[in-house]
Amino acid sequence: MPLRVVEVHQNILRKNSTMARELRERFERNGTYVINLLSSPGAGKTTLLEETLRRLGDRYRVAALVGDQATDLDAARLRRSGAPVEQIVTGAECRLDAQMVTAALRDFDATAVELLAIENVGNLICPAEYDLGEDLRVVVFSTTEGEDKPLKYPLAFATAHLAIISKTDLAAAAGFDRASAKANIERVHPGIEIVEVSALRGDGMDEWIDCLDRRIASKRVLV
Amino acid sequence: MPLRVVEVHQNILRKNSTMARELRERFERNGTYVINLLSSPGAGKTTLLEETLRRLGDRYRVAALVGDQATDLDAARLRRSGAPVEQIVTGAECRLDAQMVTAALRDFDATAVELLAIENVGNLICPAEYDLGEDLRVVVFSTTEGEDKPLKYPLAFATAHLAIISKTDLAAAAGFDRASAKANIERVHPGIEIVEVSALRGDGMDEWIDCLDRRIASKRVLV
């Protein structure tokens, strides 16, 4: 990249860090646990999130923010879970940033939210650079994408706290090599927790929900 | 976006257009037909391209450029077709641009190449803004990604000359609604040619190869 472009980019990331820190402090004050979901387009984030909100909606006050380049299709899907959902249309931008999240939070009362799920724009590259003040960054990677994706998009996997292998119902049809996929995730991020789910069939959803419960509880103890 | 960022971005796109025009003139002089493949990560670009180069390698002098954020895994796969392949590692960049293509062409004799296939970085957003001097922009969209993707990533579909629905072998397992997917492509880009393939099984490959042949031939008549 030319020097001037690098500078502008670094400025943007610096500003984002500052705003993300403010968001994190605010979430802390409000007792809100925040997850940021990253993946390719079509890896199954929305289906997973819809099911997650449905399962957790009776135990926590949940809400969701959804980033999308052009439509509010995902927000409409997520609203079926009963949770309040705010859509962020990003236009030419390939990711959410802390400023967009801050602006979206103006539109609804986030002080009472206990679990805020942010569904990022479908993109394995740009979103990885932007902290949104989340507690848990989750990278979702579907069995139909090919086992090499963690090596090809390392930043998303390296910066995530948890990896979800999604669409396990399609694993056999896609000839998915589970061992190789897990080895590739491990290579980019040694020791990262990996959960395998089919949000459609429900397989692995209990494990994922338990894992979220555990993390929310341990944050409450720490705060 | 803040004004300064918009300006820098527009400058980048303007510079890219100039370099893309130079590339296009050069490809014209050399009689090289160029395709630029765009898709999400894991939509099947590499498998499709490997099979395409294999099938066309005895009729045209073929070569490929492959963009990837971090690895040369795809280049290694494409080289199995016997074609010369140049890898472009893009690092933090989320797409190829005309400058990267120009630089990559320095490394091999492109004057004799009749068909140059450029596999872009797996990303449905950023690559759509960057002209690479191609004759044919192809957007690849797999049956496992969900039928709504054309609406969610309209620029990729609107700027493409041809859409490929890939992984048709997984359509049934994924519950893919073909009519709805095609209607969504049509909505974003009325009249665009759509080819359905399974590069793995070979279904639709003859149609795709015919389609390329036709377009290469008609360009030769025009030049």
Side-chain angles (χ1 to χ4, degrees):
Chain A
M1 280 196 268
L3 199 60
R4 180 146 175 263
V5 178
V6 172
E7 264 171 40
V8 170
H9 187 65
Q10 284 174 343
N11 267 338
I12 293 175
L13 289 182
R14 235 189 323 264
K15 250 183 234 166
N16 188 73
S17 287
T18 308
M19 295 201 78
R21 200 162 45 234
E22 287 164 13
L23 276 174
R24 189 165 278 115
E25 287 163 10
R26 184 163 144 196
F27 292 141
E28 205 99 320
R29 275 197 307 278
N30 296 341
T32 309
Y33 190 86
V34 182
I35 64 175
N36 177 8
L37 284 165
L38 264 59
S39 83
S40 300
K45 285 187 301 305
T46 313
T47 306
L48 174 71
L49 202 49
E50 191 183 342
E51 194 50 31
T52 304
L53 295 173
R54 208 188 296 279
R55 288 184 183 225
L56 289 175
D58 54 344
R59 304 226 306 280
Y60 304 102
R61 276 170 304 220
V62 295
L65 300 180
V66 193
D68 199 55
Q69 201 189 357
T71 69
D72 63 353
L73 294 172
D74 288 349
R77 283 171 63 192
L78 289 179
R79 282 193 193 104
R80 297 187 303 201
S81 70
V85 179
E86 203 61 45
Q87 176 75 46
I88 306 174
V89 175
T90 60
E93 296 289 3
C94 50
R95 41 63 193 168
L96 289 181
D97 59 33
Q99 190 171 13
M100 294 174 186
V101 171
T102 307
L105 289 177
R106 266 181 227 127
D107 297 336
F108 71 99
D109 180 23
T111 53
V113 172
E114 293 169 303
L115 173 64
L116 177 68
I118 305 176
E119 181 181 338
N120 221 308
V121 178
N123 183 332
L124 269 181
I125 303 176
C126 324
E129 290 194 304
Y130 292 81
D131 184 4
L132 305 181
E134 71 265 25
D135 295 289
L136 186 71
R137 180 175 290 193
V138 180
V139 62
V140 182
F141 154 46
S142 71
T143 59
T144 58
E145 289 172 61
E147 300 78 6
D148 57 352
K149 292 307 162 295
L151 305 179
K152 297 180 68 185
Y153 304 93
L155 196 62
F157 287 84
T159 62
H161 305 102
L162 187 132
I164 290 185
I165 297 178
S166 63
K167 302 196 187 184
T168 54
D169 52 299
L170 292 176
F176 179 66
D177 182 342
R178 186 173 169 261
S180 145
K182 290 180 109 170
N184 287 340
I185 297 174
E186 268 283 329
R187 218 168 115 190
V188 175
H189 191 149
I192 189 175
E193 187 171 358
I194 304 173
V195 182
E196 296 167 71
V197 307
S198 163
L200 214 62
R201 283 208 196 150
D203 309 341
M205 284 301 292
D206 288 344
E207 189 188 342
W208 156 240
I209 296 293
D210 281 352
C211 157
L212 260 180
D213 265 333
R214 255 189 298 119
R215 289 174 183 253
I216 295 171
S218 81
K219 193 196 172 188
R220 286 188 172 172
V221 170
L222 288 172
V223 171
Chain B
M1 278 195 269
L3 199 63
R4 179 146 176 263
V5 178
V6 172
E7 264 173 39
V8 169
H9 186 65
Q10 284 175 344
N11 267 339
I12 293 174
L13 289 182
R14 237 190 321 265
K15 248 183 234 165
N16 188 74
S17 287
T18 308
M19 293 201 79
R21 202 163 42 235
E22 286 165 14
L23 275 174
R24 190 164 277 115
E25 287 164 9
R26 183 164 146 197
F27 292 141
E28 205 98 319
R29 275 199 306 279
N30 295 342
T32 310
Y33 189 85
V34 182
I35 64 175
N36 177 9
L37 285 165
L38 263 60
S39 83
S40 299
K45 286 187 300 304
T46 312
T47 306
L48 175 71
L49 202 50
E50 190 183 344
E51 193 51 31
T52 304
L53 294 174
R54 207 187 298 279
R55 286 184 184 224
L56 288 175
D58 55 345
R59 306 225 307 280
Y60 303 103
R61 276 169 305 219
V62 295
L65 300 180
V66 193
D68 200 54
Q69 201 189 357
T71 69
D72 62 353
L73 294 171
D74 288 349
R77 282 172 63 192
L78 289 178
R79 281 192 194 107
R80 297 187 303 202
S81 71
V85 177
E86 203 60 46
Q87 176 75 45
I88 306 174
V89 176
T90 59
E93 296 288 3
C94 51
R95 41 60 192 171
L96 290 180
D97 60 31
Q99 191 171 12
M100 294 174 185
V101 171
T102 307
L105 288 176
R106 264 180 229 127
D107 297 336
F108 72 97
D109 181 23
T111 53
V113 173
E114 292 168 303
L115 174 64
L116 177 68
I118 305 176
E119 181 181 339
N120 221 308
V121 178
N123 184 334
L124 269 181
I125 303 177
C126 323
E129 290 193 304
Y130 291 81
D131 184 4
L132 305 181
E134 71 265 26
D135 295 288
L136 186 71
R137 180 177 290 194
V138 180
V139 62
V140 182
F141 154 45
S142 71
T143 59
T144 58
E145 289 171 63
E147 300 78 5
D148 57 352
K149 293 307 161 294
L151 305 179
K152 295 180 69 184
Y153 304 93
L155 196 62
F157 287 84
T159 62
H161 305 101
L162 188 133
I164 290 185
I165 296 177
S166 62
K167 304 197 187 182
T168 54
D169 51 300
L170 292 176
F176 179 67
D177 181 342
R178 184 173 171 262
S180 147
K182 290 181 109 171
N184 288 339
I185 297 175
E186 268 284 328
R187 219 168 115 190
V188 175
H189 191 149
I192 189 175
E193 188 170 357
I194 303 173
V195 183
E196 296 166 71
V197 307
S198 163
L200 213 64
R201 283 208 197 149
D203 309 340
M205 283 301 293
D206 287 344
E207 190 188 342
W208 156 240
I209 295 293
D210 281 352
C211 159
L212 261 181
D213 265 332
R214 254 187 299 120
R215 288 173 184 256
I216 295 171
S218 81
K219 191 194 173 188
R220 286 188 172 170
V221 171
L222 288 172
V223 171

